[in-house]
Amino acid sequence: MAMTKLRTNYLRYFLVLVNYSYGQVTDEEYASMPDLFYHDNFDKCMLLKEKAFYCSLTYQLKPLNETSPPDVWKIIQKVSNVSTNYRHDKLRHSICVPHSCPNVSKASDDDPKLWKGIQACYDSKFSARGLKGEVTQMSCDTQDSKYPIDWLDITYGVVLGVYVVIVLYATFREGVARYDSKEVYDKLMETPKGKLLSAFSITKNWIRLKTVNSNKETEKLRSIQVIRVSTKSSPVASHLCVRTIDIQCLFNTLVDTFGQTRYGKISNVR
């Protein structure tokens, strides 16, 4: 709830700087265009088990009658011709095929029948508005992964498992050694085995991490530490701010108008 309120406030402040010019169309005309982004619920689609079939596609819109195009097509062209706007004649949709296009059968991505079926389904949806189109890109998912487990996955799993075992063993062995006398512990840490345990022990490394060494050399490097922290924190803060207002798929009017502020035009990804 707090994040939703924060995002809403960011949006309100952001819109103050925006010049509402979608390409010289009204809000009502802008709203009459087909949804630029549309996404069915992926998880619910995968719950269909054997029938699960989820496709992400790009649908290039065209008028049914190019000599006498409908009003909505003129609006789409007017908005899309602004270089800082999205191309609203290229719809980016992700659909659960059994729900959105139930007449289309499950098939591989490169099956021409699948492309024709999805295109026919979308053509039927937009024909009443005087539009048709062509599927230019498509990628589909089922409950089965496209990428089977290969030797690289197995190798990575084995290496990760061995590493976790080493860390757990080193942490346990180094922790047990702490119950011995200080002389015995220090002697162990000076041996190659002890140094290896020290390198992988979670407890030992945590103590190193929270220990602050204060001497003349570290005092001289304080400015470097400030630079190091700044270079790490600034990108993190920037990404958090961008993520807070990253709602382009739900409210693409913000993106269309963002490039046309009082400070000049900003190019946009089309």
Side-chain angles (χ1 to χ4, degrees):
M1 182 64 70
M3 182 59 70
T4 302
K5 290 182 178 179
L6 180 61
R7 181 174 292 185
T8 303
N9 290 334
Y10 265 115
L11 179 60
R12 288 174 180 172
Y13 298 145
F14 214 47
L15 291 178
V16 173
L17 301 176
V18 173
N19 175 19
Y20 282 93
S21 173
Y22 307 129
Q24 298 179 348
V25 299
T26 64
D27 289 347
E28 290 77 9
E29 290 175 328
Y30 191 96
S32 69
M33 294 187 296
D35 290 335
L36 178 60
F37 298 103
Y38 175 81
H39 301 275
D40 280 337
N41 191 302
F42 179 83
D43 294 325
K44 284 187 177 180
C45 190
M46 291 298 107
L47 292 177
L48 298 177
K49 300 299 182 181
E50 294 296 331
K51 296 181 180 179
F53 194 40
Y54 193 90
C55 291
S56 299
L57 58 102
T58 299
Y59 183 72
Q60 178 74 55
L61 285 173
K62 303 175 184 178
L64 276 174
N65 187 349
E66 295 187 1
T67 58
S68 180
D71 292 337
V72 66
W73 176 250
K74 297 176 182 178
I75 297 171
I76 291 173
Q77 282 191 312
K78 189 178 292 185
V79 174
S80 299
N81 285 338
V82 178
S83 61
T84 54
N85 287 354
Y86 276 117
R87 287 283 303 274
H88 283 259
D89 57 341
K90 289 185 177 181
L91 308 185
R92 291 84 157 177
H93 288 191
S94 298
I95 60 172
C96 183
V97 177
H99 291 161
S100 297
C101 297
N103 294 328
V104 178
S105 301
K106 184 189 296 187
S108 60
D109 293 359
D110 56 354
D111 191 336
K113 292 183 179 179
L114 173 63
W115 287 62
K116 291 180 180 178
I118 296 292
Q119 182 171 311
C121 173
Y122 264 70
D123 286 346
S124 64
K125 291 181 179 181
F126 291 107
S127 60
R129 306 176 70 173
L131 299 172
K132 62 179 181 178
E134 179 184 1
V135 177
T136 58
Q137 294 179 345
M138 184 163 58
S139 176
C140 299
D141 294 287
T142 65
Q143 65 172 354
D144 301 319
S145 175
K146 290 182 179 180
Y147 311 102
I149 297 176
D150 58 10
W151 66 272
L152 284 175
D153 298 315
I154 297 174
T155 302
Y156 175 80
V158 171
V159 171
L160 179 62
V162 171
Y163 177 76
V164 171
V165 170
I166 291 174
V167 170
L168 293 177
Y169 172 77
T171 303
F172 173 77
R173 183 67 183 85
E174 190 268 338
V176 171
R178 288 179 180 276
Y179 289 96
D180 295 329
S181 63
K182 188 176 185 304
E183 292 76 11
V184 174
Y185 178 80
D186 291 340
K187 185 177 180 180
L188 174 63
M189 290 298 105
E190 292 176 358
T191 63
K193 178 182 178 181
K195 292 178 180 178
L196 190 63
L197 293 175
S198 176
F200 288 96
S201 171
I202 296 176
T203 308
K204 185 70 173 180
N205 283 282
W206 171 248
I207 294 174
R208 288 171 177 167
L209 183 63
K210 68 178 184 178
T211 300
V212 178
N213 294 322
S214 180
N215 52 50
K216 292 183 179 180
E217 292 183 356
T218 56
E219 288 294 326
K220 293 179 181 179
L221 294 174
R222 289 180 64 183
S223 58
I224 302 298
Q225 296 295 335
V226 173
I227 296 175
R228 182 175 66 87
V229 173
S230 299
T231 54
K232 289 184 177 180
S233 59
S234 297
V236 173
S238 301
H239 283 85
L240 286 175
C241 291
V242 171
R243 182 63 187 91
T244 304
I245 59 175
D246 183 18
I247 52 175
Q248 62 184 34
C249 288
L250 300 178
F251 191 34
N252 45 275
T253 55
L254 174 62
V255 182
D256 280 344
T257 56
F258 173 57
Q260 303 173 41
T261 67
R262 67 183 66 180
Y263 303 108
K265 290 191 174 183
I266 304 173
S267 61
N268 189 18
V269 177
R270 292 162 62 81

